[in-house]
């Protein structure tokens, strides 16, 4: 969304190019943290945040876009899968919808070819990085939820060939920058996500051993 270490607020051009369903999911995901902002916490005192409405909008648009999916649909679906639950729903077990929705996400990813190594493809570098990060995020979802919910995984080792993540997968260019190093930035700390992926591989081994 055009974010850089020196600019934590999205540029207008980035917001204009971001699909509505992804914006809704991002806003809804960020709402729980508004209470820690000096300005937003005051607004929430007088106006209840429309989190449910935003999540409903995201889901309805996912259902529409699923027929002609693109990477932003997968991003929205992953955020929807992690939507915060209220206290009443958080205290009960996951419904069958959760595992079914994971299957939908995996199916979308494979329909878009995310399970195939893309580094040699003739597509923009930013898209290669995004595709690889999304695949490994979906892989982690599949393995952990499979283990925790006692379901057979959707993703099997013999059916994909994406190489492991490395530092190059977390580079990004500022708008208008050329491919030179001056326009390339490295996020502050991509290590936790890579550790999550590594742990997901261990979770897969644990599942297969029982």
């Amino acid at each position: 969304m055009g974010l850089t270490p020196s600019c934590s607020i999205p540029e207008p051009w980035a917001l204009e190019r971001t699909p509505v369903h992804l914006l809704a999911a991002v806003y809804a995901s960020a709402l729980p943290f508004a209470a820690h902002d000096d300005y937003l916490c005051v607004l929430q005192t007088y106006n209840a945040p429309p989190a449910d409405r935003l999540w409903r909008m995201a889901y309805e648009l996912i259902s529409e876009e699923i027929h002609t999916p693109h990477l932003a649909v997968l991003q929205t679906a992953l955020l929807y899968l992690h939507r915060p639950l209220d206290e009443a729903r958080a205290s009960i077990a996951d419904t069958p919808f959760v595992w079914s929705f994971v299957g939908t996400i995996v199916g979308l990813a494979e329909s878009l070819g995310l399970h195939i190594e893309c580094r040699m493809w003739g597509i923009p570098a930013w898209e290669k990085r995004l595709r690889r990060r999304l695949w490994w995020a979906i892989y982690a979802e599949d393995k952990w939820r499979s283990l925790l919910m006692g379901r057979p995984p959707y993703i099997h080792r013999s059916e994909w060939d994406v190489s492991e993540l490395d530092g190059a997968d977390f580079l990004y260019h500022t708008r208008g920058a050329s491919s030179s190093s001056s326009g390339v930035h490295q996020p502050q700390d991509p290590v936790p996500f890579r550790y999550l992926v590594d742990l997901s591989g261990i979770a897969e081994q644990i599942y297969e051993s029982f």
Side-chain angles (χ1 to χ4, degrees), residues 20-21 24 56-66 73:
V20 173
H21 51 78
R56 185 166 58 252
M57 179 190 303
Y59 181 73
E60 290 175 354
L61 290 173
I62 289 173
S63 301
E64 292 180 10
E65 297 285 343
I66 203 171
V73 175

Side-chain angles (χ1 to χ4, degrees), residues 126-169:
W126 68 264
E127 183 176 344
K128 294 179 184 178
R129 295 191 292 267
L130 177 57
R131 293 175 70 91
R132 288 170 50 77
R133 293 196 305 269
L134 279 174
W135 171 254
W136 282 110
I138 294 167
Y139 171 87
E141 287 291 343
D142 177 67
K143 299 311 171 187
W144 281 110
R145 293 186 185 270
S146 170
L147 183 64
L148 295 174
M149 300 179 70
R151 304 288 194 276
Y154 291 107
I155 297 174
H156 302 280
R157 167 58 67 176
S158 61
E159 299 171 352
W160 57 276
D161 65 350
V162 181
S163 58
E164 294 184 1
L165 292 168
D166 56 40
D169 292 310

